[in-house]
Amino acid sequence: MKFAHRFAYYLVGLVMGCFFVALVFSGKDTRCNYFPNARVLNNLRTKPFQYSEKAVQTLNEKWIDTADIKNTLKFGDVDFDQSNVPFKKGKLYIIEGKTVKNQEVILKVINYENKAVLDEIIKKPVEK
């Protein structure tokens, strides 16, 4: 069999395979969270999210809002050296992120089995 024929068979199979893969994954809400940071943040975002009294007081100071918290839970970095420790019948996660005004923040989130609670919001001091 000539190279051109083999290449044509290869292309036909490749196109059919791509079509079936696109068909299977097109309507589904699939995520590929391979790294630990992405898995933790996705787990926290998918659970019912609540705010502690201390977090509500910090939100009332108006230097941070819920949009900043959602962005931090989407794009933040989990500090695994201080995280994943048992805390109040859940696990504590320390997440570092930024506000819209580029102010660095630290979120302390307690991850329970059926919910996530924002325990504390800390404004990171500006380093010079």
Side-chain angles (χ1 to χ4, degrees):
M1 189 181 302
K2 294 182 181 179
F3 177 73
H5 290 117
R6 286 186 298 198
F7 189 67
Y9 280 123
Y10 169 77
L11 286 178
V12 168
L14 180 69
V15 168
M16 287 178 18
C18 290
F19 173 75
F20 285 117
V21 167
L23 184 69
V24 168
F25 290 117
S26 64
K28 297 183 179 180
D29 185 22
T30 56
R31 293 183 182 96
C32 298
N33 296 327
Y34 295 115
F35 296 109
N37 193 63
R39 283 198 307 261
V40 168
L41 293 176
N42 185 45
N43 185 320
L44 294 173
R45 283 193 313 267
T46 56
K47 293 182 178 181
F49 201 76
Q50 299 173 355
Y51 299 92
S52 70
E53 291 295 323
K54 189 186 272 188
V56 170
Q57 288 175 354
T58 306
L59 285 171
N60 288 336
E61 294 174 7
K62 302 294 185 195
W63 62 270
I64 189 169
D65 62 357
T66 56
D68 295 326
I69 292 171
K70 288 180 182 178
N71 283 337
T72 301
L73 289 175
K74 190 170 187 177
F75 302 111
D77 293 320
V78 179
D79 184 359
F80 284 102
D81 291 336
Q82 301 175 18
S83 296
N84 202 15
V85 294
F87 187 78
K88 296 183 182 177
K89 297 183 181 179
K91 289 189 176 183
L92 177 69
Y93 288 99
I94 309 296
I95 304 167
E96 299 177 358
K98 292 186 176 184
T99 65
V100 175
K101 298 174 185 173
N102 213 21
Q103 169 68 43
E104 293 186 6
V105 294
I106 298 172
L107 302 180
K108 291 186 178 182
V109 181
I110 305 170
N111 189 11
Y112 295 102
E113 195 163 319
N114 57 353
K115 65 179 177 179
V117 177
L118 178 60
D119 188 48
E120 188 177 359
I121 305 168
I122 303 168
K123 186 187 295 189
K124 210 171 180 184
V126 179
E127 297 177 7
K128 292 183 180 181

